[in-house]
Amino acid sequence: ARLLESPMKHVNRKTEPRSPRQWITPQQRDQLLAVVRKQKSRCPHYELLATAAYTGMRWQELAQLDIEDLDFKRLEIHVRPKFEVTEPGKAHYSVRWTPKSERFRVIPMARDLVPILEGYVASRAGPVFLTQDRVRYVTQVNHRLVRG
């Protein structure tokens, strides 16, 4: 038996008020990045943290970012679903990752971020951010990156 309408349709539900979102100020961002840059030997993720601080990108978006997603001429970062070949030599693809919004979106790249990323990705292809083992971050298990 299938319901024709939701039993909750006429129930008044209380909603919790959302707390206002808080962002760090440009001064706080600059202080944070200055500390991370000084501690590069203890925290080798300066470029990743700088990208997060300048763009507000989600962790999964950062982990799935490929160098081809960076447009230094237009100052844009493209967040898009990622596909992988399931059968080499054939047109068979599977979705490797989809953004939370499930849509392509463009994030402006701050001018201060350009030299940080250009130097970091120079002369290579593939993922933008790599672990110390030189592999792509896995989105589910790397929340420890920031928490230490």
Side-chain angles (χ1 to χ4, degrees), residues 25-128:
T25 66
Q27 295 81 14
Q28 290 170 323
R29 178 201 60 219
D30 294 343
Q31 289 173 341
L32 169 69
L33 294 177
V35 169
V36 173
R37 179 178 265 160
K38 285 181 186 176
Q39 300 289 325
K40 191 139 172 92
S41 62
R42 291 181 56 214
C43 181
H45 308 291
Y46 173 73
E47 294 81 4
L48 188 148
L49 293 172
T51 305
Y54 276 107
T55 65
M57 291 174 69
R58 297 177 180 102
W59 163 248
Q60 295 87 354
E61 294 171 340
L62 292 164
Q64 294 297 323
L65 197 60
D66 289 319
I67 293 170
E68 65 191 27
D69 297 326
L70 305 176
D71 187 337
F72 293 110
K73 290 179 182 158
R74 290 185 170 161
L75 299 177
E76 296 176 344
I77 299 173
H78 302 145
V79 176
R80 55 182 137 212
K82 304 296 174 149
F83 302 91
E84 59 190 12
V85 177
T86 54
E87 289 188 45
K90 297 184 179 180
H92 292 267
Y93 297 92
S94 66
V95 176
R96 180 181 78 210
W97 175 80
T98 306
K100 182 178 178 183
S101 65
E102 297 185 3
R103 294 189 313 255
F104 175 89
R105 67 188 183 110
V106 176
I107 297 172
M109 186 186 306
R111 290 196 185 279
D112 291 343
L113 184 58
V114 172
I116 296 168
L117 287 177
E118 278 185 327
Y120 184 67
V121 302
S123 304
R124 64 182 178 89
V128 173

Side-chain angles (χ1 to χ4, degrees), residues 15-23:
T15 57
E16 293 291 323
R18 281 188 157 176
S19 58
R21 291 184 179 181
Q22 294 182 346
W23 288 272

